[in-house]
Amino acid sequence: MKINVVKNVLAASEGQARANRKRLDDAGVVAVNLLSAPGSGKTTLLEHTIPALSPGLRCAVLVGDLQTTRDAERLGGLGAEVTQINTGRGCHLSPAEVARGLDGLDLSGLDLLFIENVGNMVCPAAFDLGEHFRAVLLSTPEGDDKVAKYPTLFQGADIILLTKTDLIEIVDFDVSRVREDLAKLNTKAPLVLLSSKTGHGMDEWLDWLRGRARGGVSEA
Amino acid sequence: MKINVVKNVLAASEGQARANRKRLDDAGVVAVNLLSAPGSGKTTLLEHTIPALSPGLRCAVLVGDLQTTRDAERLGGLGAEVTQINTGRGCHLSPAEVARGLDGLDLSGLDLLFIENVGNMVCPAAFDLGEHFRAVLLSTPEGDDKVAKYPTLFQGADIILLTKTDLIEIVDFDVSRVREDLAKLNTKAPLVLLSSKTGHGMDEWLDWLRGRARGGVSEA
């Protein structure tokens, strides 16, 4: 009986994720799920990304947090529609929450949807939300051992952003250790060294996004 | 039926936590559960804490991680017994895992047990492991908005350690914002500003630990 309950929940979640993806596909919107530990710079990255893509690509953001609307407030006024999803005690965004977020958006007016997941290196990795790509952030102050310690997260990444590289020497972060660990886990996803503060690496990230968006710059 | 399943799981978890605490109490061991995001400095803190408490307080560590024995390797050789618990995909330590960890320790030879939880600001907060105290770490690079965003974690803390304060100006961290958010959530737990790098705040943390341990320094 226990097994049936678990199966039903997972099947419902996967079904909802597929429905979300179809809805996005039908509207020509590409969704990028941003995953990382708390405080690795997801919101700051979006603060710099959205204006840089505008007006060629029309963006929106669904922001997941347990509490507060602080991230949505930070992202307001950038020209993208921003929806805050408060999960309460929930440790990750669910496809059902994303579906409700989609209900509030005019998808026909969008090219790119960023889904900023709850800051957590474990649980969000297990849930398909209906996104097309996963961008995983790791900030240098978190330490160069995190790829090996949280392999599921990095295994599922389509792009890996090493953020806060302006602190790389101060926090004694060894990039070669990350590369070694990734060589065992994920050799497809590019590793981009990025600093939202200095702008280093932003072009590579923006180019990656432009290359994945369907209705944007390339056809504009 | 779903409700029954969930109730049974939670009741079993709480029962195991109570059993762990009784076992520790009977042996005169005080257990401190360390909770934080990945990379906020739990292991580094213990690297500095254990030698400073020795030989007055005899310590052991249970270290939780999804994968690898890197933390246990770092903590080996400090004179404390260290047990690595790999949770696989588990997003927090469970009381059952802690019970198995206790099986491997000679509790009669211990004063303090540190339980270094999986790096995660959400799930570990929901699980009593049988500890006596919770120490919650927040590192300055994670940002000064995290208390409000992860209230459950900070609500349950007996002491809050703001770590990596040597980076406080570089990362533009506003301590007053943390104090304001804590004033609404938790006014009992002391907030200790700490840097494992410079040693700032270590005395306050060590004094707090000594004041909670039963069989240690005060009777030595």
Side-chain angles (χ1 to χ4, degrees):
Chain A
M1 190 61 183
K2 263 191 201 175
I3 292 167
N4 284 338
V5 172
V6 171
K7 271 190 187 163
N8 290 345
V9 171
L10 280 184
S13 176
E14 286 166 11
Q16 182 64 68
R18 277 195 300 274
N20 290 349
R21 192 152 32 236
K22 181 167 188 324
R23 210 165 147 190
L24 292 161
D25 284 340
D26 289 347
V29 180
V30 170
V32 180
N33 187 359
L34 298 171
L35 304 99
S36 80
S40 61
K42 296 185 290 302
T43 310
T44 303
L45 179 67
L46 290 179
E47 284 178 307
H48 289 84
T49 300
I50 292 165
L53 293 174
S54 178
L57 290 171
R58 298 159 299 170
C59 303
V61 190
L62 302 180
V63 197
D65 274 304
L66 275 71
Q67 300 285 343
T68 82
T69 55
R70 292 188 185 190
D71 285 356
E73 288 160 26
R74 285 173 60 190
L75 293 170
L78 298 177
E81 197 163 351
V82 181
T83 306
Q84 179 84 49
I85 301 171
N86 282 142
T87 62
R89 287 169 185 254
C91 50
H92 59 88
L93 282 175
S94 70
E97 287 164 334
V98 168
R100 284 194 294 275
L102 294 180
D103 289 342
L105 295 172
D106 173 16
L107 296 180
S108 68
L110 283 181
D111 300 304
L112 257 178
L113 174 70
F114 294 105
I115 306 172
E116 184 182 330
N117 221 311
V118 175
N120 182 336
M121 289 187 116
V122 191
C123 315
F127 289 84
D128 180 8
L129 302 178
E131 74 271 16
H132 299 94
F133 300 102
R134 288 189 174 195
V136 172
L137 282 71
L138 170 65
S139 70
T140 58
E142 293 167 47
D144 50 30
D145 58 348
K146 294 301 173 292
V147 172
K149 289 173 82 173
Y150 298 86
T152 311
L153 180 68
F154 291 92
Q155 232 155 15
D158 296 297
I159 185 167
I160 297 161
L161 306 173
L162 181 62
T163 59
K164 306 192 192 182
T165 52
D166 48 291
L167 299 175
I168 205 162
E169 291 187 13
I170 299 172
V171 300
D172 202 18
F173 189 99
D174 184 354
V175 181
S176 69
R177 213 170 160 203
V178 166
R179 290 194 199 280
E180 277 164 32
D181 290 336
L182 283 176
K184 293 170 211 152
L185 283 175
N186 185 339
T187 53
K188 286 186 205 161
L191 173 69
V192 179
L193 275 59
L194 194 143
S195 165
S196 292
K197 207 166 186 172
T198 67
H200 178 82
M202 279 301 290
D203 283 346
E204 197 176 342
W205 160 240
L206 294 171
D207 283 347
W208 185 89
L209 287 170
R210 289 191 189 104
R212 265 116 204 114
R214 288 160 199 172
V217 162
S218 58
E219 295 166 28
Chain B
M1 190 59 182
K2 263 193 202 174
I3 291 168
N4 284 338
V5 173
V6 171
K7 270 190 185 165
N8 289 345
V9 171
L10 280 184
S13 176
E14 286 166 11
Q16 183 64 67
R18 278 194 301 273
N20 290 350
R21 191 151 35 235
K22 181 165 188 326
R23 210 165 147 191
L24 292 161
D25 283 340
D26 290 347
V29 179
V30 170
V32 179
N33 187 358
L34 298 172
L35 304 99
S36 79
S40 60
K42 296 185 292 301
T43 310
T44 303
L45 179 68
L46 290 179
E47 283 179 308
H48 289 84
T49 300
I50 292 164
L53 293 173
S54 176
L57 291 172
R58 299 160 298 171
C59 302
V61 190
L62 303 180
V63 197
D65 273 304
L66 276 70
Q67 300 286 344
T68 81
T69 55
R70 293 189 184 189
D71 285 357
E73 287 159 27
R74 285 173 58 189
L75 294 169
L78 299 177
E81 197 162 350
V82 181
T83 307
Q84 179 84 50
I85 301 171
N86 282 143
T87 62
R89 286 170 186 252
C91 50
H92 60 87
L93 282 175
S94 71
E97 287 163 335
V98 169
R100 285 194 293 275
L102 294 179
D103 289 342
L105 295 172
D106 174 16
L107 295 180
S108 68
L110 283 183
D111 301 304
L112 257 179
L113 175 68
F114 294 103
I115 306 171
E116 185 182 331
N117 221 311
V118 175
N120 181 337
M121 289 187 116
V122 191
C123 316
F127 289 84
D128 180 8
L129 302 178
E131 74 271 17
H132 299 94
F133 301 102
R134 286 189 177 196
V136 172
L137 282 72
L138 169 66
S139 70
T140 58
E142 293 168 47
D144 50 29
D145 58 347
K146 294 300 173 292
V147 172
K149 289 173 80 172
Y150 298 86
T152 311
L153 180 69
F154 291 92
Q155 232 156 14
D158 295 298
I159 185 167
I160 296 160
L161 306 173
L162 181 63
T163 59
K164 308 194 191 180
T165 53
D166 49 290
L167 299 175
I168 204 162
E169 291 187 13
I170 299 171
V171 298
D172 202 17
F173 189 98
D174 184 355
V175 181
S176 68
R177 213 169 161 204
V178 165
R179 290 195 199 280
E180 276 164 32
D181 290 335
L182 283 176
K184 294 170 211 153
L185 283 175
N186 185 338
T187 53
K188 287 186 202 162
L191 174 70
V192 179
L193 274 60
L194 195 144
S195 166
S196 292
K197 206 165 187 175
T198 68
H200 178 82
M202 278 300 290
D203 283 346
E204 196 175 344
W205 160 240
L206 295 170
D207 284 348
W208 185 89
L209 287 169
R210 289 191 188 103
R212 264 118 203 113
R214 288 160 199 173
V217 162
S218 59
E219 297 167 27

